[in-house]
Amino acid sequence: MFARRAFLAAAVPALLAGCSSQRWEAGAAKASESPSPSPSAEPSIEPSPTPSPTPSPTKPAPPASPPEVHDVNWYLRRAPSFGPPPAPEPVTVPDGEKTPWWSRVPTTQKVAFITIDDGGMTRTTDALQFIQRAKIPVTLFLNSPAAASYTSYFKAIKDTGASIQDHTVTHRKLKGQSYDFQRQEIEDCANRIQELFGERPYLFRPPFGDYDDITLKAARDCGMRVSFFWTQTVDNGKVFYQTTAEVIKPGDVMLMHFRPNLADDLLGALKAMKNSGLTPARLEDYIPRPSPA
Ligand SMILES: [Zn+2]
């Protein structure tokens, strides 16, 4: 029951970097369930109910078509099916004064990982339901103000088995900043997420994937085990590879964001994994949470 090959979205000039400018405006989650399109109508184009044989040149142009809206069933029908992931073999994380800086998890098992960043821009119902119903393993790197403002949304994702990790408080660039500044950004985010969700982050992703040695030292001093970059980004449903070989490799870490098209991004990532012979897995199973001291 594999999805038919569907091109999800036009390739747009890609925002290849992680983490676009952060926006904190409050807003309701996209009402992606309403209006609910008829599945049987997908993707037909509705004819005008009252075609005019003699369109008047002075007639105002019709309003632009609304963005395509799908409910979660649309995504579930197109999602590839996967067998169970292999029994995870946790990797060794080096000790030391600094966290390691990883773009991918050093494993040869046929798995890859989905990470979703930020949280302050938008949070869609269709993406939440897609994660819940397809049981997509994800790891969230959240800014703590977003986590605090939309706790119930992220808690619902956490309840699927996701872990919530550290992405700083203010989403400012850390590279070049003082140790105290960098440590405070990481530590305050970790403390807040622990308060909100009951578990302390132990993985870190710096905003924009930008860091220096001080970042890795501060992260380790805050209890982080690994600081993460990524191997692919996904936006508007399209996977952007960093090499010409368009393949996901074992251990790769895919980056997407809480954006209006997150459900498309999830679908694009799952298809890319399937086409590469991989299964999505939980990052937390490969880098276990440290035991309480
Ligand atoms: Zn970010």
Side-chain angles (χ1 to χ4, degrees):
M1 49 173 286
F2 203 59
R4 57 194 160 95
R5 190 172 291 270
F7 293 95
L8 299 170
V12 295
L15 186 66
L16 288 174
C19 315
S20 57
S21 59
Q22 188 68 15
R23 290 187 286 168
W24 293 112
E25 75 273 24
K30 185 179 82 172
S32 57
E33 297 299 294
S34 177
S36 178
S38 165
S40 63
E42 188 64 40
S44 68
I45 299 170
E46 295 273 337
S48 167
T50 55
S52 168
T54 55
S56 162
T58 60
K59 190 175 178 180
S65 299
E68 206 171 6
V69 174
H70 306 298
D71 72 2
V72 67
N73 293 309
W74 189 94
Y75 293 99
L76 292 169
R77 283 196 302 273
R78 286 160 177 78
S81 58
F82 296 93
E89 298 168 3
V91 300
T92 300
V93 177
D95 293 326
E97 291 192 343
K98 299 184 292 186
T99 69
W101 176 251
W102 286 355
S103 299
R104 50 185 301 281
V105 175
T107 180
T108 56
Q109 292 192 281
K110 292 189 172 182
V111 294
F113 305 94
I114 293 174
T115 61
I116 314 174
D117 279 15
D118 297 354
M121 185 190 294
T122 188
R123 296 142 303 280
T124 63
T125 302
D126 52 4
L128 169 61
Q129 294 180 337
F130 192 20
I131 291 167
Q132 289 173 322
R133 293 182 55 186
K135 298 180 169 51
I136 304 170
V138 296
T139 298
L140 314 186
F141 287 92
L142 296 184
N143 300 118
S144 51
S149 295
Y150 309 106
T151 308
S152 62
Y153 182 88
F154 298 119
K155 176 72 163 52
I157 297 179
K158 183 177 184 297
D159 287 346
T160 68
S163 70
I164 299 181
Q165 305 292 348
D166 193 317
H167 195 46
T168 75
V169 179
T170 67
H171 205 274
R172 289 171 64 184
K173 183 177 175 178
L174 297 183
K175 183 179 179 181
Q177 301 277 4
S178 70
Y179 174 86
D180 288 348
F181 177 90
Q182 298 202 39
R183 176 165 181 153
Q184 188 163 15
E185 282 281 341
I186 300 167
E187 188 158 45
D188 288 356
C189 179
N191 289 342
R192 192 77 176 106
I193 286 175
Q194 183 172 13
E195 288 172 7
L196 293 166
F197 301 102
E199 286 186 322
R200 187 172 184 80
Y202 65 97
L203 305 174
F204 176 60
R205 176 174 280 146
F208 317 104
D210 217 352
Y211 75 102
D212 57 20
D213 281 348
I214 292 173
T215 313
L216 305 184
K217 172 74 164 66
R220 181 50 62 84
D221 291 346
C222 294
M224 301 297 137
R225 297 197 71 199
V226 178
S227 299
F228 266 103
F229 195 62
W230 55 82
T231 45
Q232 294 86 22
T233 59
V234 193
D235 196 17
N236 281 317
K238 181 173 172 57
V239 178
F240 295 92
Y241 297 85
Q242 301 193 341
T243 60
T244 52
E246 296 197 342
V247 66
I248 313 293
K249 295 177 181 170
D252 276 1
V253 174
M254 306 182 78
L255 166 67
M256 57 194 74
H257 293 82
F258 285 97
R259 289 177 179 153
N261 290 325
L262 177 57
D264 295 300
D265 296 342
L266 290 164
L267 182 58
L270 294 177
K271 288 183 174 183
M273 286 187 195
K274 182 77 177 186
N275 290 340
S276 301
L278 304 179
T279 301
R282 294 173 76 238
L283 198 51
E284 204 172 0
D285 290 337
Y286 284 78
I287 307 172
R289 178 174 293 280
S291 305

